[in-house]
Every structure is written in structure tokens, then in C-alpha cells.
């Protein structure tokens, strides 16, 4: 169902702030977590309710202004140069229904807002490695959870959306109501509208075994080789990632990790804690363990597993989906990013995530997620501290992904793709069939291509 309005909108009808460049508060309103992209829209709207989003979109449609949306800005890797930016960060409401084990989540809520509402009832969420990320943007990109091998993609658990399309029409969509719109919103990123709220399933999981096994970076080969062998036989209850970290001596990084060169396996295990600890024996025996943070924890403490940065920073991220992790792939990875790459290697983190299990199963209701055939995912993150460092990060990122492409599926995960390039580059997040269908959905719901910033596609002709 959809609600439409015929009167000509004005931004004076918006309850939240409406700011232009140079006005007090503008810079704060447009700045997201990722500081790599400097946003300079003509107007920024601080939405406080659904009506603000609808009014802003109706204005954009009437004035033919390009429009984008930002909640937390974790995925802010594309600069907004003009047009309208809708900031949804004030819309953080969460309602939990214990009987149906679902949560209704507003446009700007972070996963930590959902956890605060859900975990007192023994319920968990399909969040990623940081609960500081926004629920909506994460889920629209498919959402790769900490518990993905056990439960699948976050998009798989969505029951319904409320979404405003660029013409200012508010839609309710679910598997039976506007199914093409429901399909495109799960894995198609922000191509067809601005989500004002969603309803998603929660998990009956009060506690989890999680943390990290840290070895010296010089032992990366031994730990990675053991982990790669180990992943071939672990059950779906085991979710893990191998990382190489070169952490700067910044005060924001806690001791004893600060300034260190680390090889690490992070994990989340949903089964019996004692059985999970026993499963870790081959990893703990692969190389001398310097730090071991693995423990049983309340799910509310899930951020302790990956210890992601909590402060904004300018980051360059990228990913490559991998078919396999052969000995040759391991050698290539270590040549590019291991100890042999040297102490001045510019990437903060290079990481290989174990996929498969529930992540490989088709969704109950078809969606636009195209990462189900990957056995592993390679992610790289560099900090763009200064121009020389930015150039070094770009060179290292390109070299790593190029070298590992021989073992890849040819595709990326849209949320971790990094700065979107031309049409061919953007299309790598989807299969050709899904990409074509997404362009057709775009032509239905955004024929003027007002939602053209970020990882978007062009409408079908």
C-alpha cells in the first residue's frame, strides 16, 4: 500500500533542522563515521520522523535535486557534492515484541540501540563486527553478521519495510505486498527508496562464546595455515575471521594492542561453550599465543569480539569474495600483506572471513544478495591520514585485490566494496541477472535517478 501527497512541498514543513553550507551545525550534520568522504550538499535535513523524510523527498522530486541518506556514516565512502542529504541519526526508536521475537527499528537506529532493547529479553541481533553501525544501511547491503554462518545474512530475517520512494510516496512492503520492492531492498542497497523503518526477526541467544586469539604478526603463516585447514571442518555454529593487524600507536587503541603487529583469529560460537573451547585447540597450538580474549559473554558485549574502532576516522575499505583458500592463495595473501610486506605496509587490517554454511543457503524469500557462493571474504582497511599515506593505501589495496582475484568469484559485497567506481565496477556487487533486475526496479521506483550517490545503479532504459 502507498500514501501519496499532491500539494507542493516546502522544507519549512520539516520538524528537524534544515541547514545550508556555512550555517551553524551544518558541518556536524553532514559528517559521518568514515571521514574519507567530505560531504558538501546544498541542503542537509536532520529528519526527526517519517514525515520529515517524506517531505524532503517530495521537495527533491519537485526540484529534481539528487538526494541521499545517512544515518551513522560508516559507509560514507562517496562524497556528496550537491543536492539534498537526509540525516536520519535522530530517528533511533526500537520496539521489541517478545512474543513474535521481532524488533521494529527506526531509520537511524544503530545496532547497539537494538541490543539495548532486545538483550534484556534474552534476544540477540544479526549485527556486524561493530554495533555502532546503522541497522538500515547495513541491512540494505545484505548485512554480513558476526553470526552469519549460523543464521545467514541480516537481510534474510527482515519481515517488512516502511520506505519512502523518491517521489514522496510512503510504501509498506513485505513478501506479499510490492514483492519487487521488498526484493530490491534486501541486498540492493539504497537504490529504490529511503527506509523509514523495518521489522526484523531476533534470535533466542542470550550468551555467546567469543573473542580473539592473538599471535605475533611474524607467526601469520602458521596461524593462517592452521585456520584455513580448521575452517574446512568446523560446524555452522562456529563463525570466525583471520586478520593481520598493524595497529598505530594511537591513544584510542587500548593497551596491549596499541602499536602492535598481530596475527589474529576472532570467533563467535553459538554452541556449548566447553565444546567451542575444545574446537579452538588447533589454533592455540599453531603458534605461541600472546593474548587470548575468548570467553563466554552476554550477547550485549558482542563488540568485545572484534574491538572495532569507536572513533571516526578516514578509511579506505575494499573486499573480494573468494571461491577457495588454497595453499597458493595463502602464499599470495602473505606475499602481499604478511610479514614479508614489511613494517611500512600501509593497511591497518587485512582480513579473511569464513563464509559458507547458512550464508550459502538461498533466502526463504528471494533477495538481491549475491555472496552466497563465496567460501571466504577478503577485506582490507587502510587509514587515509595524509596524501602520501593515501597513495600508499590505494596502491596496496589495488595490488592485494588484483593478486587475490585469481581465487575470487569476481564479485564484491556491496557494504564492503569501498568507493564505487564506474558502472562496471559497481555491477561487481551483483550477478548480471540480479544487476539487471535491480536496474528494472530502479526504473520503477526512481526513474529520474534522484538516488544517485553511493553504490547505486542506473535505471534500465
Amino acid at each position: 500500500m502507498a500514501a501519496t501527497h499532491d500539494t507542493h512541498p516546502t522544507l519549512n514543513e520539516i520538524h528537524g533542522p534544515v541547514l545550508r553550507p556555512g550555517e551553524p551545525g551544518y558541518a556536524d550534520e553532514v559528517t559521518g563515521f568514515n571521514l574519507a568522504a567530505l560531504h558538501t550538499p546544498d541542503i542537509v535535513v536532520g529528519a526527526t520522523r517519517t514525515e520529515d523524510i517524506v517531505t524532503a523527498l517530495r521537495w527533491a522530486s519537485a526540484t529534481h535535486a539528487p538526494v541521499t541518506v545517512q544515518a551513522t556514516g560508516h559507509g560514507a565512502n562517496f562524497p556528496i557534492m550537491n543536492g539534498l542529504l537526509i540525516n536520519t541519526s535522530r530517528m533511533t526508536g526500537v520496539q521489541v515484541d517478545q512474543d513474535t521475537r521481532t524488533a521494529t527499528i527506526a531509520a537511524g537506529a544503530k545496532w547497539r540501540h537494538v541490543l539495548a532493547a532486545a538483550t534484556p529479553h534474552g534476544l540477540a541481533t544479526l549485527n556486524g563486527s561493530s554495533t555502532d553501525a546503522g541497522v538500515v544501511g547495513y541491512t540494505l547491503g545484505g548485512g554480513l553478521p558476526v553470526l552469519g554462518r549460523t543464521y545467514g545474512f541480516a537481510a534474510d530475517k527482515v519481515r517488512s519495510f516502511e520506505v519512502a520512494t523518491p517521489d514522496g510516496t510512503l510504501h509498506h512492503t513485505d513478501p506479499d505486498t510490492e514483492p519487487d520492492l521488498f526484493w530490491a531492498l534486501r541486498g540492493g542497497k539504497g537504490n529504490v527508496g529511503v527506509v523509514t523503518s523495518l521489522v526484523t526477526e531476533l534470535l533466542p541467544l542470550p550468551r555467546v562464546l567469543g573473542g580473539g586469539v592473538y599471535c605475533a604478526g611474524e607467526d601469520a603463516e602458521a596461524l593462517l595455515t592452521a585456520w584455513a585447514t580448521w575452517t574446512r571442518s568446523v560446524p555452522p555454529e562456529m563463525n570466525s575471521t583471520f586478520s593481520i593487524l598493524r595497529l598505530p600507536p594511537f591513544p584510542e587503541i587500548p593497551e596491549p594492542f596499541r602499536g602492535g603487529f598481530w596475527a589474529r583469529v576472532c570467533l563467535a560460537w553459538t554452541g556449548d561453550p566447553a565444546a567451542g573451547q575444545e574446537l579452538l585447540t588447533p589454533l592455540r597450538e599453531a603458534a605461541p599465543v600472546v593474548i587470548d580474549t575468548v570467553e563466554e559473554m552476554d550477547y550485549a558485549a558482542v563488540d568485545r569480539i572484534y574491538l572495532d574502532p569507536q572513533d571516526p576516522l578516514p578509511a579506505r575499505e575494499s573486499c573480494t569474495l573468494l571461491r577457495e583458500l588454497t595453499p597458493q592463495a595463502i602464499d599470495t595473501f602473505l606475499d602481499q600483506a604478511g610479514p614479508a610486506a614489511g613494517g611500512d605496509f600501509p593497511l591497518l587490517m587485512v582480513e579473511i572471513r569464513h563464509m559458507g554454511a547458512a550464508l550459502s543457503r538461498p533466502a526463504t524469500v528471494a533477495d538481491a544478495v549475491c555472496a552466497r557462493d563465496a567460501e571466504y571474504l577478503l577485506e582490507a582497511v587502510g587509514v587515509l591520514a595524509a596524501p602520501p599515506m593515501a597513495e600508499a593505501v590505494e596502491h596496496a589495496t589495488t595490488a592485494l585485490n588484483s593478486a587475490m582475484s585469481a581465487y575470487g568469484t569476481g564479485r564484491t559485497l556491496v557494504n564492503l566494496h569501498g568507493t564505487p567506481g564506474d558502472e562496471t565496477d559497481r555491477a561487481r556487487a551483483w550477478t548480471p541477472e540480479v544487476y539487471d533486475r535491480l536496474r528494472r526496479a530502479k526504473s520503477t521506483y526512481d526513474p529520474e535517478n534522484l538516488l544517485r550517490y553511493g553504490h547505486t545503479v542506473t535505471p534500465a532504459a
Side-chain angles (χ1 to χ4, degrees), residues 102-348:
T102 60
T104 302
I105 304 167
K110 300 179 179 183
W111 280 114
R112 63 181 47 157
H113 295 132
V114 188
L115 282 175
T119 54
H121 306 295
L123 300 172
T125 62
L126 280 183
N127 56 276
S129 59
S130 171
T131 64
D132 190 59
V135 173
V136 168
Y138 166 90
T139 304
L140 295 184
L144 181 57
V146 169
L147 302 179
R149 279 177 43 81
T150 311
Y151 296 102
F153 290 95
D156 298 344
K157 300 297 184 183
V158 176
R159 297 273 188 90
S160 65
F161 294 96
E162 302 292 329
V163 56
T165 45
D167 62 355
T169 302
L170 188 63
H171 305 252
H172 169 87
T173 181
D174 58 34
D176 301 315
T177 308
E178 297 197 70
D180 281 348
L181 182 59
F182 189 65
W183 172 87
L185 288 169
R186 293 174 304 123
K189 206 54 178 172
N191 271 288
V192 292
V194 177
V195 170
T196 61
S197 68
L198 62 80
V199 178
T200 190
E201 298 173 25
L202 300 172
L203 312 172
L205 185 72
R207 293 177 66 79
V208 67
L209 180 74
V213 176
Y214 292 76
C215 301
E218 290 76 13
D219 291 322
E221 181 177 2
L223 185 60
L224 175 55
T225 301
W227 177 78
T229 300
W230 179 80
T231 58
R232 297 185 187 109
S233 61
V234 293
E237 292 82 5
M238 182 61 78
N239 304 266
S240 67
T241 299
F242 171 85
S243 311
I244 296 178
L245 305 171
R246 290 172 170 87
L247 301 179
F250 293 166
E252 294 84 0
I253 298 173
E255 292 285 5
F257 304 103
R258 185 184 305 158
F261 175 38
W262 301 100
R264 171 185 84 173
V265 172
C266 283
L267 63 105
W269 163 258
T270 61
D272 174 69
Q277 292 281 16
E278 181 66 25
L279 266 178
L280 297 179
T281 300
L283 302 182
R284 289 173 168 145
E285 294 179 346
V289 176
V290 180
I291 301 171
D292 192 330
T293 67
V294 178
E295 61 179 343
E296 189 181 4
M297 62 180 70
D298 290 340
Y299 195 78
V302 67
D303 278 334
R304 295 214 303 263
I305 295 176
Y306 281 87
L307 299 173
D308 276 6
Q310 298 297 305
D311 298 306
L313 75 170
R316 163 72 162 101
E317 61 183 352
S318 70
C319 82
T320 296
L321 294 170
L322 302 177
R323 296 188 313 272
E324 55 190 349
L325 195 56
T326 63
Q328 294 79 12
I330 291 172
D331 289 343
T332 301
F333 174 82
L334 291 171
D335 286 344
Q336 291 291 323
D344 59 350
F345 183 73
L347 299 185
L348 176 75

